Amino acid sequence: MAISPGKRKVVTVLSIDGGGVRGIIPATILDYLESKLQQLDGPDARLADYFDIIAGTSTGGLVTTMLTSPNKDNRPLFAAKDIINFYLQHSPKIFPQKSQKSFVSSLASLVGSMMRPKYDGKYLRSLTNGLLGDLTLKQTLTNVIIPTFDINHLQPVIFSTNDAKLNDSKNARLADICISTSAAPTFLPAHDFETKDAEGKPRSFNLIDGGVVANNPTMMAMSQILKEILMQNTEANDIKPMEYSKRTLVLSLGTGVAKHDAKYSATRASKWGLLGWLYDKGANPLFDVYVDASSDMVDFHVSTLFQALDRKNSYLRIQDDELTRDASTVDVATTENLKTLVKTGENLLKKPVSRVNLDTGRFEPASKDEGTNEEQLALFAGLLVEEKKHRTSQ
């Protein structure tokens, strides 16, 4: 869906972080939001009907694709309420958990993880190919943005529905995009495929996880809005480049991060060499550091921007920064941990609206009159329905 001139009061954005099995957390939030939309606008309401742009990285890219890919009736393949069960059913097969082993076999497993990805990715490839078939990027029901990184050219590759409509070489299969944006280094293998331009010339992609580019893709979505406004550059466009952020409504969903002081310590890290930074008690510290830093820097920037414009209520970031133990990992897909993550999402709805403290990086409760995340999402749903009705009347 292009940002058409003269039809919008606001541009609506949904952004979903990466985070492996922790994608259950934003899935729980989206289930609640879609249920509110259905209460206001009928049982057939789907998130793709209300957002101009849905951006997702890694596991967030999978959720984005599920919400926006068309079925045979040209409606979303998945309702938001179905995504939690999708994670519960398929995560243990994407990230199969090893049983308790002897010291020797555990050592062999550790050495193996140094030599190849922790998981072979075969089930994920089969699953996405089976679900999405030959659907391509330009067929999504609203504009999507999914980042990846090309290790051949050492260059980010950002897949966008609008770009795919203009450039055939960017109109990749959605299955290939999902596999690529989820290919977290050391966890899942890189993915390669080809597309062709309008003249049949092939273009090769050698891609890994979009989390190395933007684990929080909110800024990418906002940049896409500005890009389209600049490209249109018409008098009929009532959203001008200098005011686009004042006319943007953003919902940004995190997948949770480890509680401060709960995962790593400088005392431990000071003794690490390359092996320690790549593997510590089943986790990958280097990967965690880069991914969390990427997400936080985006939130710092966007939060500062909206606060400076006195538009803080137009940007809602929902994130849990108190995950501990298995819940803070990306790949512990045990039944117990998956249920814990569902409960984490449900509890997060009941927590007060929070904003990042620009000095400490911690999420702190906002003013009491803003209520809980659940209450704010209900208000957000009302704004989305109002905007949709405004466009319909035009």
Side-chain angles (χ1 to χ4, degrees):
M1 180 186 297
I3 300 171
S4 305
K7 291 186 178 180
R8 288 162 164 75
K9 291 192 295 183
V10 294
V11 182
T12 53
V13 176
L14 170 62
S15 175
I16 310 166
D17 287 13
V21 296
R22 301 199 313 261
I24 291 180
I25 296 173
T28 306
I29 307 298
L30 292 173
D31 179 17
Y32 178 80
L33 176 60
E34 192 169 85
S35 72
K36 286 299 174 184
L37 291 170
Q38 290 167 351
Q39 288 177 18
L40 295 171
D41 213 17
D44 295 330
R46 295 290 183 269
L47 292 167
D49 301 328
Y50 300 87
F51 286 100
D52 295 304
I53 295 176
I54 301 181
T57 298
S58 193
T59 196
L62 291 174
V63 173
T64 295
T65 304
M66 293 162 71
L67 294 172
T68 61
S69 295
N71 61 18
K72 59 183 177 61
D73 298 317
N74 207 38
R75 295 296 291 152
L77 273 177
F78 285 80
K81 65 182 178 62
D82 299 324
I83 296 178
I84 296 173
N85 286 334
F86 180 90
Y87 273 91
L88 294 175
Q89 179 182 352
H90 296 291
S91 294
K93 300 173 186 176
I94 297 172
F95 302 112
Q97 305 299 293
K98 294 179 173 60
S99 58
Q100 293 291 330
K101 295 182 176 181
S102 66
F103 172 78
V104 173
S105 58
S106 296
L107 181 61
S109 178
L110 173 60
V111 172
S113 68
M114 296 296 106
M115 304 297 293
R116 59 184 179 272
K118 189 173 182 180
Y119 306 99
D120 61 26
K122 291 180 180 178
Y123 184 82
L124 178 61
R125 292 171 189 242
S126 174
L127 178 64
T128 51
N129 280 308
L131 282 174
L132 301 171
D134 290 325
L135 286 172
T136 63
L137 184 57
K138 69 180 182 181
Q139 292 175 271
T140 56
L141 298 172
T142 191
N143 186 30
V144 307
I145 296 176
I146 299 176
T148 62
F149 188 85
D150 194 311
I151 55 174
N152 191 345
H153 301 291
L154 296 180
Q155 180 72 28
V157 177
I158 313 303
F159 288 99
S160 160
T161 301
N162 285 343
D163 288 346
K165 291 177 179 178
L166 299 172
N167 182 351
D168 286 348
S169 70
K170 292 293 288 291
N171 185 34
R173 289 192 320 132
L174 287 167
D176 285 321
I177 296 172
C178 285
I179 295 166
S180 300
T181 195
S182 303
T186 75
F187 288 96
L188 289 163
H191 186 55
D192 64 286
F193 60 91
E194 282 189 353
T195 59
K196 293 184 179 179
D197 65 16
E199 298 176 353
K201 182 180 178 181
R203 176 176 177 178
S204 298
F205 295 93
N206 297 269
L207 304 177
I208 61 171
D209 183 14
V212 304
V213 179
N215 198 58
N216 175 350
T218 305
M219 278 302 301
M220 286 189 172
M222 296 182 67
S223 296
Q224 180 72 18
I225 296 168
L226 184 57
K227 174 184 173 182
E228 290 191 43
I229 291 171
L230 292 172
M231 287 175 64
Q232 289 168 8
N233 193 28
T234 66
E235 290 298 322
N237 193 349
D238 67 340
I239 300 180
K240 306 303 179 184
M242 294 303 292
E243 64 177 23
Y244 86 100
S245 55
K246 296 181 181 179
R247 304 277 296 275
T248 305
L249 190 63
V250 180
L251 174 61
S252 177
L253 303 180
T255 56
V257 294
K259 185 176 181 180
H260 282 227
D261 304 323
K263 196 157 191 180
Y264 308 115
S265 69
T267 301
R268 228 163 69 223
S270 65
K271 302 173 183 177
W272 291 341
L274 177 61
L275 181 62
W277 278 103
L278 292 177
Y279 190 91
D280 177 68
K281 298 183 178 179
N284 185 327
L286 194 61
F287 178 78
D288 288 344
V289 167
Y290 276 108
V291 165
D292 288 352
S294 167
S295 296
D296 287 346
M297 285 304 296
V298 170
D299 188 38
F300 288 165
H301 180 85
V302 179
S303 181
T304 303
L305 174 64
F306 277 87
Q307 288 183 49
L309 294 171
D310 197 25
R311 295 277 296 172
K312 61 184 181 181
N313 291 331
S314 295
Y315 170 62
L316 178 59
R317 171 74 170 170
I318 300 181
Q319 174 71 306
D320 191 319
D321 62 357
E322 297 186 344
L323 301 185
T324 59
R325 302 174 66 86
D326 288 348
S328 66
T329 68
V330 299
D331 66 329
V332 176
T334 61
T335 300
E336 179 183 6
N337 191 48
L338 295 176
K339 289 181 177 180
T340 296
L341 292 171
V342 172
K343 191 65 177 176
T344 298
E346 294 170 349
N347 291 339
L348 191 53
L349 285 168
K350 305 295 183 183
K351 289 184 177 181
V353 170
S354 298
R355 292 193 178 86
V356 65
N357 182 311
L358 302 181
D359 292 324
T360 67
R362 300 295 300 272
F363 275 81
E364 298 175 355
S367 59
K368 291 183 178 180
D369 60 355
E370 293 185 58
T372 64
N373 289 319
E374 192 173 60
E375 292 168 337
Q376 198 68 21
L377 283 168
L379 294 174
F380 209 95
L383 294 174
L384 291 172
V385 170
E386 178 185 334
E387 175 64 17
K388 182 170 178 281
K389 290 179 177 177
H390 167 74
R391 299 180 192 185
T392 302
S393 70
Q394 297 295 304

